[in-house]
Amino acid sequence: MKEVEVESFKLDHRKVDAPYVREAGKIITPSGDVIKKYDLRLMQPNQGAISTAALHSLEHLLAKYMRQRIDNIIDLSPMGCRTGFYLSKIGETSLETIEEALVTSLQEVLATKEVQATTAKECGNYRDHSLFGAKEYAQQVLAGFKE
Ligand SMILES: [Zn+2]
């Protein structure tokens, strides 16, 4: 079996200061394209976690809002520990640009009236959503970015 290193397993989660945006990986494809992965940490590890319904709604909302601000996003997925999201994209983007997009996207969450794609046809667990929770956590994260 091939030896692999998982970047996030090497991160000392006791030493980070959330919320933050961090580069978590970079791959150059055989054809020379750059693929970047970013750690969008919303909650302080081992001190807080976003409830599953709020995280799920944030995933639906940020999937759209981040793509409206950043081109060539491959994926935005919640972390299993529920403290943030991983963002994968094609091409280099500065941490400042990602953070600015995240902050304005979270501000847009606060103004959202409805979570999109929450029917049994469109979602794998349509019953497990909370726009109220998404807004509460978004507000908390935004306050953290201002500090
Ligand atoms: Zn869903």
Side-chain angles (χ1 to χ4, degrees):
M1 204 72 99
K2 196 171 117 181
E3 277 295 318
V4 294
E5 272 194 352
V6 179
E7 193 272 346
S8 66
F9 293 171
K10 292 197 306 181
L11 174 72
D12 189 338
H13 287 75
R14 299 165 303 182
K15 297 204 168 119
V16 299
D17 186 19
Y20 64 79
V21 173
R22 183 181 69 87
E23 182 178 329
K26 178 177 177 173
I27 290 172
I28 300 183
T29 67
S31 54
D33 294 308
V34 175
I35 295 174
K36 293 286 291 267
K37 178 182 174 186
Y38 300 89
D39 167 354
L40 278 48
R41 193 73 59 159
L42 307 184
M43 306 294 285
Q44 185 64 24
N46 300 305
Q47 288 182 28
I50 300 172
S51 75
T52 56
L55 189 71
H56 188 188
S57 292
L58 279 173
E59 180 202 6
H60 278 233
L61 298 170
L62 293 178
K64 180 176 164 189
Y65 298 161
M66 288 297 283
R67 280 181 176 85
Q68 287 173 331
R69 292 165 170 86
I70 306 275
D71 289 333
N72 301 315
I73 289 179
I74 300 166
D75 186 43
L76 180 83
S77 296
M79 296 172 180
C81 59
R82 295 186 279 115
T83 61
F85 290 86
Y86 283 116
L87 172 74
S88 301
K89 71 175 293 294
I90 298 167
E92 299 272 1
T93 303
S94 73
L95 294 176
E96 293 71 30
T97 301
I98 302 280
E99 183 174 320
E100 195 182 298
L102 177 60
V103 165
T104 57
S105 293
L106 289 171
Q107 286 165 346
E108 197 172 343
V109 168
L110 297 182
T112 298
K113 300 259 183 286
E114 195 186 350
V115 181
Q116 75 275 15
T118 53
T119 65
K121 183 186 172 190
E122 299 162 314
C123 176
N125 191 359
Y126 78 96
R127 295 177 187 90
D128 194 32
H129 276 281
S130 173
L131 177 58
F132 174 81
K135 288 182 181 186
E136 289 293 308
Y137 285 105
Q139 203 144 35
Q140 186 180 333
V141 175
L142 286 168
F145 271 120
K146 273 191 210 137
E147 278 167 16

